[in-house]
């Protein structure tokens, strides 16, 4: 069995992967992406972000996002939709606009309502707000926070819920997979949304990890429990585990252990619904473009051969 088959047999909803539109011209890539034995869920890595979907105000462009939604549907895969409100990949009309509290709120609500309505019934979940926290757990000084204040977060969730009452609504961030100020900040965001009477269904743990510095299985499981105790589910939403290149047998063995521990933490947590890797092959990973000299972060190598990490995940899921 493959990763998704094994995950579903253990009661998870899916094992999935991110993908992106430029890769869809690569037919051998698409064949593996569409293999539901390994992947029961897709996330668009870029094409549902604000700069793609609403490049100028109130002009919406769904071609790229729809291509991935349509592929997932054709394959019978769930879709995690990503994302609605973020500080990054904003078009300049948003990031460099002149805003008041009222005008920015109106633009944010218009975006959320239009996008969530467009994808109504097609997403398992939406990442409604992405990366709203600094490392110390305080609010990131984004245009959203500095113009609207922390209320932009519950208002975004309430707006999404009004447009599609059935889709799961997530807060998604990185470095919230282990205990500390940022994880406490994420718990406080859940409580803030709930205190407004708005709906939040889940916390997404991105899990962009480093080989040899990945938090332990027990540390990850206890942090997940900190969220599920607030009445929300969790998911690992963007897992990858990078190393300083070149990759060696020792690094690949440690990476296998790190992937295994992370997937095992989700499996051991009631309320952890699934794991998504942030693309499956090193060929299309975001890591080398962002961290110079680092890479080899995915379970398949650049030639689409399975790495030890693949076996680590499969074994953690109880598969063979
Ligand atoms: O589309 C342009 C293309 O026209 C241009 O030629 C090329 C030259 O650099 O850039 C292309 O845009 C790039 C875009 O990905 C699409 O490939 C951007 O430069 C690049 O910065 C962007 O990176 C994305 C990154 O988010 C931006 O923050 C990654 O692909 C994407 O995987 C990554 O995903 C994020 C999640 O959304 C949130 N969590 C962290 C995660 C990893 O950074």
């Amino acid at each position: 069995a493959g990763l998704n088959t094994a995950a579903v047999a253990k009661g998870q909803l899916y094992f999935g992967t991110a993908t992106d539109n430029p890769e869809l011209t690569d037919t051998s890539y698409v064949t593996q992406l569409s293999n539901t034995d390994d992947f029961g869920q897709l996330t668009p890595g870029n094409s549902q972000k604000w700069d793609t979907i609403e490049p100028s105000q109130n002009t919406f462009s769904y071609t790229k996002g729809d291509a991935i939604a349509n592929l997932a549907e054709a394959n019978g895969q769930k879709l995690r939709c990503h994302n609605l409100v973020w500080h990054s990949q904003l078009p300049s009309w948003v990031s460099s606009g002149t805003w008041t509290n009222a005008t920015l709120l109106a633009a944010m609500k218009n975006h959320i309502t239009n996008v969530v309505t467009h994808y109504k019934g097609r997403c398992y979940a939406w990442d409604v707000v992405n990366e709203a926290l600094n490392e110390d757990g305080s609010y990131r000084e984004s245009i959203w926070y500095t113009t609207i204040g922390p209320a932009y977060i519950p208002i975004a969730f309430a707006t999404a819920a009004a447009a599609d009452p059935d889709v799961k609504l997530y807060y998604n961030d990185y470095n919230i997979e282990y205990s500390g100020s940022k994880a406490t900040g994420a718990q406080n965001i859940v409580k803030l949304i709930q205190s407004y009477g708005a709906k939040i269904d889940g916390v997404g743990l991105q899990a962009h990890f480093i080989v040899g510095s990945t938090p332990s299985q027990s540390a990850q499981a206890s942090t997940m429990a900190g969220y599920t105790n607030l009445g929300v589910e969790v998911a690992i939403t963007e897992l990858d585990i990078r190393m300083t290149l070149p990759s060696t047998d020792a690094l690949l063995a440690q990476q296998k252990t790190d992937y295994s521990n992370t997937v095992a933490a989700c499996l051991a947590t009631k309320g952890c619904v699934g794991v998504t890797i942030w693309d499956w092959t090193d060929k299309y990973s975001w890591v080398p473009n962002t961290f110079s000299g680092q890479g080899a972060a995915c379970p398949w190598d650049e030639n689409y051969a399975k790495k030890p990490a693949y076996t680590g995940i499969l074994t953690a899921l109880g598969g063979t």
Side-chain angles (χ1 to χ4, degrees):
L3 305 181
N4 181 56
T5 303
V8 169
K10 287 288 186 185
Q12 303 239 286
L13 294 183
Y14 57 80
F15 188 94
T17 181
T19 187
D20 205 359
N21 298 69
E23 308 155 24
L24 301 182
T25 57
D26 175 340
T27 51
S28 38
Y29 173 89
V30 173
T31 299
Q32 173 57 34
L33 181 72
S34 303
N35 175 4
T36 54
D37 193 25
D38 279 323
F39 305 126
Q41 177 270 325
L42 301 183
T43 305
N46 283 300
S47 51
Q48 290 179 323
K49 291 172 178 174
W50 199 309
D51 57 354
T52 301
I53 285 197
E54 195 185 1
S56 58
Q57 188 162 14
N58 212 28
T59 299
F60 292 87
S61 170
Y62 289 109
T63 312
K64 287 183 172 176
D66 287 357
I68 291 171
N70 292 343
L71 178 66
E73 262 165 33
N75 293 338
Q77 296 163 315
K78 296 186 192 318
L79 190 69
R80 286 196 88 265
C81 290
H82 175 80
N83 58 55
L84 294 168
V85 182
W86 192 23
H87 66 278
S88 183
Q89 288 176 281
L90 288 172
S92 59
W93 72 265
V94 177
S95 55
S96 307
T98 305
W99 298 107
T100 65
N101 180 311
T103 58
L104 189 59
L105 262 180
M108 184 186 83
K109 289 184 187 175
N110 186 53
H111 181 82
I112 293 171
T113 301
N114 203 301
V115 177
V116 174
T117 301
H118 179 84
Y119 286 107
K120 191 170 195 278
R122 304 186 73 183
C123 311
Y124 168 71
W126 264 110
D127 292 328
V128 177
V129 173
N130 197 42
E131 302 175 5
L133 293 168
N134 293 316
E135 294 307 293
D136 67 0
S138 61
Y139 289 111
R140 186 190 288 272
E141 303 264 314
S142 66
I143 187 149
W144 311 112
Y145 180 76
T146 57
T147 310
I148 301 168
Y152 87 85
I153 299 172
I155 293 169
F157 277 79
T159 306
D164 183 354
D166 297 323
V167 68
K168 303 279 186 194
L169 304 180
Y170 271 63
Y171 176 71
N172 190 52
D173 211 334
Y174 58 92
N175 293 350
I176 62 164
E177 307 86 1
Y178 48 90
S179 67
S181 307
K182 198 170 184 184
T184 304
Q187 290 184 8
N188 288 338
I189 283 179
V190 175
K191 293 176 190 167
L192 176 75
I193 295 162
Q194 292 171 337
S195 78
Y196 272 69
K199 185 175 88 116
I200 173 167
D201 300 291
V203 174
L205 314 178
Q206 293 186 8
H208 292 294
F209 289 145
I210 298 171
V211 168
S213 308
T214 298
S216 70
Q217 179 182 334
S218 62
Q220 293 191 58
S222 79
T223 310
M224 287 177 187
Y227 304 119
T228 59
N229 286 341
L230 300 175
V232 296
E233 63 183 46
V234 296
I236 295 177
T237 53
E238 305 186 12
L239 176 62
D240 52 23
I241 311 184
R242 63 188 183 265
M243 62 180 71
T244 299
L245 299 172
S247 94
T248 63
D249 288 349
L251 286 166
L252 291 171
Q254 182 64 48
Q255 185 182 51
K256 175 184 181 180
T257 301
D258 293 341
Y259 264 103
S260 171
N261 287 340
T262 301
V263 171
C266 181
L267 201 59
T269 300
K270 189 173 175 328
C272 187
V273 301
V275 176
T276 305
I277 51 178
W278 206 241
D279 226 318
W280 54 272
T281 163
D282 292 334
K283 184 171 183 181
Y284 298 118
S285 170
W286 68 292
V287 169
N289 297 329
T290 302
F291 299 100
S292 178
Q294 297 181 51
C298 299
W300 280 257
D301 73 13
E302 293 180 351
N303 301 313
Y304 306 161
K306 291 171 181 169
K307 293 156 66 175
Y310 179 92
T311 311
I313 299 170
L314 186 62
T315 306
L317 292 170
T320 48

